[in-house]
Amino acid sequence: MKNQIGKWLTILIPLFIGIGIIFYQYTSLTADELEKIQVSFQKANYYYILLSLFIAMFGYWSRAYRWKFALNHLGYHTKFSTNFFTVCVSYLVNLTVPRSGEISRAALLKKYENVPFDKAFGTIVAERIVDLFIFFLFVLIGFLSQFDEIYQFLLNKNVSFQSLIITGIIGLVCFIIFVLIWIYAEWKIIIKLKEKLSGLIEGITTVYKMKDKWKYIFHSFFIWFSYLTMFYVTIFALPETSHISFDVVIMGFIFGSLAVGFSNGGLGAYPFSIALIFSLYGITNDVGTAFGWLVWTSQTILTIFLGLLSYILLPILNSTK
């Protein structure tokens, strides 16, 4: 009973957060702004939307192709089609419960390619660690290029720079303590966790030990390059956003990426965060909101289409398994 309640909560809480953000954003917009948003959708150049979706496909392909290097290192030679379709399904599942797609991805690979779940999941966790590192590079570049604007924004919100430094130091100390306990502690619970996570750890360490590590790293950067390019191309869909500088694009990309984890696939949170960030650079609320919804809606439609198609094709193409 408790497990069922927990599962429902993991679905409903992010969903309600997204709906709440949409309701807040809708009620905060004036009738004139809502009309302007509608006009923006009508006059948008959908050629750039379609181009962004085409570029997004390269990210899907590269993620599936990158996966083979980690799996090959573990001795599992899977079909690229299976890798690609499971990646597409995982994106679709992430629209229901944030980050749950990784579990479904490993489970599908176990079902169709007989790769042990813990090892497959370990390679996926390794991917996320590498992706997180690259994302932090984007954050570092974005914040350094926009330091003055961000600092002024924090001052306006009564958030001192000193408090951010203290929070960061506390977080770093807690992380170091956790790592030391994990490495050196001989507590029974730690030992049992290490035993159960042995396959997971093997998957994570594949990045450092694999033969094709540089190809793996190249594809890791290429994936994020395709994400950023996909976002950048979309600014030309609206005349009001076509002039914005690349450093502003990076900031919108960073906060949009962060917003995806707040609700189901960024529902509500993504357009809201884009409108908020763009407003700091003189872009009106209605234009920022329209742009955010254009990007989110088009990418979500692509995710649903590819996910459902892949879910149908997986058992058909693996019927001999």
Side-chain angles (χ1 to χ4, degrees), residues 57-111:
M57 290 290 295
F58 284 95
Y60 281 79
W61 170 84
S62 188
R63 184 172 292 279
Y65 195 79
R66 177 183 67 170
W67 199 11
K68 80 166 189 173
F69 297 122
L71 293 171
N72 288 352
H73 176 76
L74 296 178
Y76 302 100
H77 300 277
T78 58
K79 293 186 296 185
F80 173 76
S81 60
T82 302
N83 293 357
F84 180 79
F85 291 142
T86 55
V87 166
C88 292
V89 172
S90 71
Y91 278 106
L92 175 63
V93 174
N94 276 335
L95 293 179
T96 59
V97 181
R99 314 302 351 147
S100 62
E102 285 76 0
I103 297 174
S104 66
R105 189 170 146 196
L108 287 171
L109 200 68
K110 164 65 177 175
K111 180 178 180 180

Coordinates of all heavy atoms in Angstrom, one line a residue, residues 57-111:
M57 N 17.3 15.5 -33.1 CA 17.5 14.1 -33.5 C 18.9 13.6 -33.4 O 19.2 12.5 -33.1 CB 16.9 13.8 -34.9 CG 15.4 14.0 -35.0 SD 14.6 12.6 -34.2 CE 15.1 11.2 -35.2
F58 N 19.8 14.5 -33.7 CA 21.3 14.2 -33.6 C 21.6 13.9 -32.2 O 22.5 13.1 -31.9 CB 22.1 15.3 -34.2 CG 22.1 15.4 -35.7 CD1 21.3 16.3 -36.3 CD2 23.0 14.6 -36.4 CE1 21.3 16.3 -37.7 CE2 23.1 14.7 -37.8 CZ 22.2 15.5 -38.4
G59 N 21.0 14.6 -31.2 CA 21.2 14.4 -29.8 C 20.8 13.0 -29.4 O 21.5 12.2 -28.7
Y60 N 19.6 12.6 -29.9 CA 19.1 11.2 -29.6 C 20.0 10.2 -30.2 O 20.4 9.2 -29.5 CB 17.7 11.0 -30.3 CG 16.5 11.7 -29.6 CD1 16.3 13.0 -29.7 CD2 15.7 10.9 -28.8 CE1 15.2 13.6 -29.0 CE2 14.6 11.4 -28.2 CZ 14.3 12.8 -28.3 OH 13.3 13.3 -27.6
W61 N 20.4 10.4 -31.4 CA 21.3 9.4 -32.1 C 22.6 9.3 -31.4 O 23.2 8.2 -31.1 CB 21.6 9.9 -33.6 CG 22.7 9.1 -34.2 CD1 22.6 7.9 -34.9 CD2 24.0 9.5 -34.3 NE1 23.8 7.5 -35.3 CE2 24.7 8.5 -35.0 CE3 24.8 10.6 -33.9 CZ2 26.1 8.5 -35.3 CZ3 26.1 10.6 -34.2 CH2 26.8 9.6 -34.9
S62 N 23.2 10.5 -31.0 CA 24.5 10.5 -30.4 C 24.5 9.8 -29.0 O 25.4 9.1 -28.6 CB 25.1 11.9 -30.2 OG 26.4 11.9 -29.8
R63 N 23.4 10.0 -28.3 CA 23.2 9.4 -26.9 C 23.2 7.9 -27.1 O 23.8 7.1 -26.3 CB 22.0 9.9 -26.2 CG 21.8 9.4 -24.8 CD 20.7 10.1 -24.1 NE 21.0 11.5 -23.8 CZ 21.8 11.9 -22.8 NH1 22.4 11.0 -22.0 NH2 22.0 13.2 -22.6
A64 N 22.5 7.4 -28.1 CA 22.4 5.9 -28.3 C 23.7 5.4 -28.7 O 24.1 4.3 -28.3 CB 21.3 5.6 -29.3
Y65 N 24.4 6.1 -29.6 CA 25.7 5.7 -30.1 C 26.7 5.7 -29.0 O 27.6 4.7 -28.9 CB 26.1 6.5 -31.3 CG 27.3 6.0 -32.1 CD1 27.0 5.0 -33.0 CD2 28.6 6.4 -31.9 CE1 28.0 4.4 -33.8 CE2 29.6 5.9 -32.7 CZ 29.3 4.9 -33.6 OH 30.4 4.3 -34.3
R66 N 26.7 6.7 -28.2 CA 27.7 6.8 -27.1 C 27.5 5.6 -26.1 O 28.5 5.1 -25.6 CB 27.5 8.1 -26.3 CG 28.4 8.2 -25.1 CD 28.1 9.5 -24.3 NE 26.8 9.5 -23.7 CZ 26.5 10.4 -22.8 NH1 27.3 11.4 -22.4 NH2 25.3 10.4 -22.2
W67 N 26.3 5.1 -25.9 CA 26.0 4.1 -25.0 C 26.8 2.8 -25.3 O 27.2 2.0 -24.4 CB 24.5 3.8 -24.9 CG 24.0 3.1 -23.7 CD1 24.7 2.8 -22.6 CD2 22.7 2.5 -23.5 NE1 24.0 2.2 -21.7 CE2 22.7 2.0 -22.2 CE3 21.6 2.5 -24.3 CZ2 21.6 1.3 -21.7 CZ3 20.5 1.9 -23.8 CH2 20.5 1.3 -22.5
K68 N 27.0 2.6 -26.6 CA 27.6 1.3 -27.1 C 29.0 1.2 -26.6 O 29.5 0.0 -26.3 CB 27.5 1.1 -28.6 CG 28.6 1.9 -29.3 CD 28.7 1.5 -30.8 CE 29.9 2.1 -31.4 NZ 30.2 1.5 -32.8
F69 N 29.7 2.3 -26.4 CA 31.1 2.2 -26.0 C 31.2 1.7 -24.5 O 32.1 0.9 -24.2 CB 31.8 3.6 -26.0 CG 31.8 4.2 -27.4 CD1 31.3 5.4 -27.7 CD2 32.5 3.5 -28.4 CE1 31.3 5.9 -29.0 CE2 32.6 4.0 -29.7 CZ 32.0 5.2 -30.0
A70 N 30.3 2.1 -23.7 CA 30.3 1.6 -22.3 C 29.8 0.2 -22.2 O 30.4 -0.6 -21.5 CB 29.4 2.5 -21.4
L71 N 28.8 -0.2 -23.0 CA 28.4 -1.6 -23.0 C 29.4 -2.5 -23.6 O 29.6 -3.6 -23.1 CB 27.0 -1.6 -23.8 CG 25.8 -0.9 -23.2 CD1 24.7 -0.9 -24.2 CD2 25.4 -1.6 -21.9
N72 N 30.1 -2.1 -24.7 CA 31.1 -2.9 -25.3 C 32.2 -3.2 -24.3 O 32.8 -4.3 -24.2 CB 31.7 -2.3 -26.5 CG 30.7 -2.3 -27.7 OD1 29.7 -2.9 -27.6 ND2 31.0 -1.6 -28.7
H73 N 32.6 -2.2 -23.5 CA 33.6 -2.4 -22.5 C 33.3 -3.4 -21.5 O 34.1 -4.2 -21.0 CB 33.9 -1.0 -21.8 CG 34.9 -1.1 -20.7 ND1 36.2 -1.2 -20.9 CD2 34.7 -1.2 -19.3 CE1 36.9 -1.3 -19.7 NE2 36.0 -1.3 -18.8
L74 N 32.0 -3.6 -21.2 CA 31.5 -4.6 -20.2 C 31.3 -5.9 -20.9 O 31.0 -6.9 -20.2 CB 30.2 -4.1 -19.6 CG 30.3 -2.9 -18.7 CD1 28.9 -2.5 -18.2 CD2 31.2 -3.1 -17.6
G75 N 31.5 -6.0 -22.2 CA 31.4 -7.2 -22.9 C 30.0 -7.5 -23.6 O 29.7 -8.6 -24.0
Y76 N 29.2 -6.5 -23.6 CA 27.9 -6.6 -24.2 C 27.8 -5.8 -25.5 O 28.0 -4.6 -25.5 CB 26.8 -6.1 -23.2 CG 26.8 -6.9 -21.9 CD1 27.4 -6.3 -20.8 CD2 26.3 -8.1 -21.8 CE1 27.5 -7.0 -19.6 CE2 26.3 -8.8 -20.6 CZ 26.9 -8.2 -19.5 OH 27.0 -8.9 -18.3
H77 N 27.5 -6.5 -26.6 CA 27.4 -5.9 -27.9 C 26.0 -5.9 -28.4 O 25.4 -6.9 -28.9 CB 28.3 -6.7 -28.9 CG 29.7 -6.7 -28.5 ND1 30.6 -5.7 -28.8 CD2 30.5 -7.6 -27.8 CE1 31.8 -6.0 -28.3 NE2 31.7 -7.2 -27.7
T78 N 25.3 -4.8 -28.1 CA 23.9 -4.6 -28.4 C 23.7 -4.0 -29.8 O 24.6 -3.3 -30.3 CB 23.2 -3.7 -27.3 OG1 23.9 -2.5 -27.3 CG2 23.4 -4.4 -26.0
K79 N 22.5 -4.1 -30.3 CA 22.1 -3.5 -31.6 C 21.9 -2.0 -31.4 O 21.3 -1.6 -30.4 CB 20.9 -4.2 -32.2 CG 21.1 -5.6 -32.6 CD 19.9 -6.2 -33.3 CE 18.7 -6.2 -32.4 NZ 17.5 -6.9 -33.1
F80 N 22.4 -1.2 -32.4 CA 22.2 0.2 -32.3 C 20.7 0.6 -32.2 O 20.3 1.5 -31.5 CB 22.9 0.9 -33.4 CG 22.5 2.4 -33.5 CD1 23.2 3.3 -32.6 CD2 21.6 2.9 -34.4 CE1 22.9 4.6 -32.6 CE2 21.3 4.3 -34.4 CZ 21.9 5.1 -33.5
S81 N 19.9 -0.2 -33.0 CA 18.5 0.1 -33.1 C 17.8 0.0 -31.7 O 17.0 0.8 -31.3 CB 17.8 -0.8 -34.1 OG 17.9 -2.1 -33.7
T82 N 18.2 -1.1 -30.9 CA 17.7 -1.3 -29.6 C 18.1 -0.1 -28.7 O 17.3 0.4 -27.9 CB 18.2 -2.6 -29.0 OG1 17.8 -3.7 -29.9 CG2 17.6 -2.9 -27.6
N83 N 19.4 0.2 -28.8 CA 19.9 1.4 -27.9 C 19.1 2.6 -28.2 O 18.7 3.3 -27.3 CB 21.4 1.6 -28.2 CG 22.3 0.5 -27.7 OD1 21.8 -0.5 -27.1 ND2 23.6 0.6 -28.0
F84 N 18.9 2.9 -29.5 CA 18.2 4.1 -29.9 C 16.8 4.1 -29.4 O 16.3 5.1 -28.9 CB 18.3 4.3 -31.4 CG 17.6 5.5 -32.0 CD1 18.2 6.8 -31.9 CD2 16.3 5.5 -32.5 CE1 17.6 7.9 -32.4 CE2 15.7 6.6 -33.0 CZ 16.3 7.8 -32.9
F85 N 16.1 3.0 -29.7 CA 14.7 3.0 -29.3 C 14.5 3.0 -27.8 O 13.5 3.7 -27.3 CB 14.0 1.7 -29.8 CG 13.9 1.7 -31.3 CD1 14.1 0.6 -32.1 CD2 13.6 2.9 -32.0 CE1 13.9 0.6 -33.4 CE2 13.5 2.9 -33.4 CZ 13.6 1.7 -34.1
T86 N 15.4 2.4 -27.0 CA 15.3 2.5 -25.5 C 15.5 3.9 -25.0 O 14.9 4.3 -24.1 CB 16.2 1.5 -24.9 OG1 17.6 1.7 -25.3 CG2 15.8 0.1 -25.1
V87 N 16.5 4.6 -25.7 CA 16.7 6.0 -25.3 C 15.5 6.8 -25.6 O 15.1 7.7 -24.7 CB 17.9 6.6 -26.1 CG1 18.0 8.1 -26.0 CG2 19.2 6.0 -25.6
C88 N 14.8 6.6 -26.7 CA 13.6 7.4 -27.1 C 12.5 7.1 -26.1 O 11.8 8.0 -25.6 CB 13.1 7.0 -28.5 SG 14.2 7.6 -29.8
V89 N 12.3 5.8 -25.7 CA 11.3 5.5 -24.7 C 11.6 6.1 -23.3 O 10.7 6.6 -22.6 CB 11.2 3.9 -24.5 CG1 10.3 3.6 -23.4 CG2 10.7 3.3 -25.8
S90 N 12.9 6.2 -23.0 CA 13.3 6.7 -21.7 C 12.9 8.2 -21.6 O 12.5 8.7 -20.6 CB 14.8 6.5 -21.4 OG 15.6 7.4 -22.3
Y91 N 13.1 8.9 -22.7 CA 12.7 10.3 -22.8 C 11.2 10.5 -22.5 O 10.7 11.4 -21.9 CB 13.1 11.0 -24.1 CG 14.5 11.4 -24.2 CD1 15.4 10.7 -24.9 CD2 14.9 12.6 -23.5 CE1 16.8 11.2 -25.0 CE2 16.2 13.0 -23.6 CZ 17.2 12.3 -24.4 OH 18.5 12.7 -24.5
L92 N 10.4 9.6 -23.2 CA 9.0 9.6 -23.0 C 8.6 9.3 -21.6 O 7.7 10.0 -21.0 CB 8.3 8.5 -23.9 CG 6.8 8.4 -23.8 CD1 6.1 9.6 -24.2 CD2 6.4 7.2 -24.7
V93 N 9.2 8.3 -20.9 CA 8.9 8.0 -19.6 C 9.2 9.1 -18.6 O 8.5 9.3 -17.6 CB 9.6 6.7 -19.2 CG1 9.4 6.4 -17.7 CG2 9.2 5.5 -20.0
N94 N 10.3 9.9 -18.9 CA 10.6 11.0 -18.1 C 9.6 12.1 -18.0 O 9.6 12.9 -17.1 CB 12.0 11.6 -18.6 CG 13.2 10.9 -18.0 OD1 13.1 10.3 -17.0 ND2 14.3 11.0 -18.8
L95 N 8.7 12.1 -19.0 CA 7.6 13.0 -19.0 C 6.5 12.7 -17.9 O 5.7 13.6 -17.5 CB 6.8 13.0 -20.4 CG 7.6 13.6 -21.6 CD1 6.8 13.5 -22.8 CD2 8.1 15.0 -21.3
T96 N 6.5 11.4 -17.5 CA 5.6 11.1 -16.4 C 6.2 11.2 -15.0 O 5.6 11.9 -14.2 CB 5.2 9.6 -16.6 OG1 6.4 8.7 -16.5 CG2 4.5 9.4 -17.9
V97 N 7.3 10.6 -14.8 CA 8.1 10.8 -13.5 C 9.5 11.2 -13.8 O 10.2 10.5 -14.5 CB 8.1 9.5 -12.7 CG1 8.9 9.7 -11.4 CG2 6.7 8.9 -12.5
P98 N 9.9 12.4 -13.4 CA 11.2 12.9 -13.6 C 12.3 11.9 -13.3 O 12.3 11.3 -12.2 CB 11.3 14.2 -12.8 CG 9.9 14.6 -12.6 CD 9.1 13.4 -12.6
R99 N 13.3 11.7 -14.2 CA 14.4 10.8 -14.0 C 14.1 9.3 -14.0 O 14.9 8.5 -13.8 CB 15.2 11.1 -12.8 CG 15.6 12.6 -12.5 CD 16.3 13.4 -13.5 NE 16.9 12.8 -14.7 CZ 17.0 13.4 -15.8 NH1 16.5 14.6 -16.0 NH2 17.7 12.9 -16.8
S100 N 12.8 8.9 -14.2 CA 12.4 7.5 -14.2 C 12.8 6.8 -15.5 O 12.8 5.6 -15.5 CB 10.9 7.4 -13.9 OG 10.2 8.0 -14.9
G101 N 13.1 7.6 -16.5 CA 13.4 7.0 -17.8 C 14.7 6.2 -17.8 O 14.8 5.2 -18.5
E102 N 15.6 6.5 -16.9 CA 16.8 5.7 -16.8 C 16.6 4.3 -16.3 O 17.2 3.4 -16.8 CB 17.8 6.4 -15.8 CG 18.5 7.6 -16.3 CD 17.6 8.9 -16.3 OE1 16.4 8.7 -15.9 OE2 18.1 10.0 -16.7
I103 N 15.6 4.1 -15.4 CA 15.2 2.8 -15.0 C 14.6 2.0 -16.1 O 14.9 0.8 -16.3 CB 14.3 2.9 -13.8 CG1 15.0 3.6 -12.6 CG2 13.8 1.5 -13.3 CD1 14.1 3.9 -11.4
S104 N 13.7 2.6 -16.8 CA 13.0 1.9 -17.9 C 14.0 1.6 -19.0 O 13.9 0.5 -19.7 CB 11.9 2.8 -18.5 OG 12.4 4.0 -19.1
R105 N 15.0 2.4 -19.2 CA 16.0 2.2 -20.3 C 16.8 1.0 -20.0 O 17.0 0.1 -20.8 CB 16.9 3.4 -20.4 CG 17.8 3.4 -21.5 CD 18.5 4.8 -21.6 NE 19.8 4.8 -22.1 CZ 20.7 5.8 -21.9 NH1 20.3 6.9 -21.3 NH2 21.9 5.7 -22.4
A106 N 17.2 0.8 -18.7 CA 18.0 -0.3 -18.3 C 17.1 -1.6 -18.3 O 17.6 -2.7 -18.7 CB 18.6 -0.1 -16.9
A107 N 15.9 -1.4 -18.0 CA 15.0 -2.6 -17.9 C 14.7 -3.1 -19.4 O 14.7 -4.3 -19.6 CB 13.7 -2.2 -17.3
L108 N 14.5 -2.2 -20.3 CA 14.3 -2.6 -21.7 C 15.5 -3.2 -22.3 O 15.4 -4.2 -23.1 CB 13.9 -1.4 -22.5 CG 12.5 -0.8 -22.3 CD1 12.3 0.5 -23.0 CD2 11.4 -1.8 -22.7
L109 N 16.7 -2.8 -22.0 CA 17.9 -3.4 -22.5 C 18.1 -4.8 -21.9 O 18.6 -5.7 -22.6 CB 19.2 -2.5 -22.1 CG 20.4 -2.8 -23.0 CD1 20.1 -2.3 -24.4 CD2 21.6 -2.1 -22.4
K110 N 17.7 -5.0 -20.6 CA 17.7 -6.3 -20.0 C 16.7 -7.2 -20.8 O 17.1 -8.4 -21.0 CB 17.3 -6.2 -18.5 CG 16.9 -7.5 -17.9 CD 18.0 -8.5 -17.8 CE 17.6 -9.7 -17.0 NZ 18.6 -10.8 -17.0
K111 N 15.6 -6.7 -21.1 CA 14.5 -7.5 -21.8 C 14.9 -7.9 -23.2 O 14.8 -9.1 -23.6 CB 13.2 -6.7 -21.8 CG 12.1 -7.5 -22.5 CD 10.8 -6.6 -22.4 CE 9.6 -7.4 -23.1 NZ 8.4 -6.6 -23.0

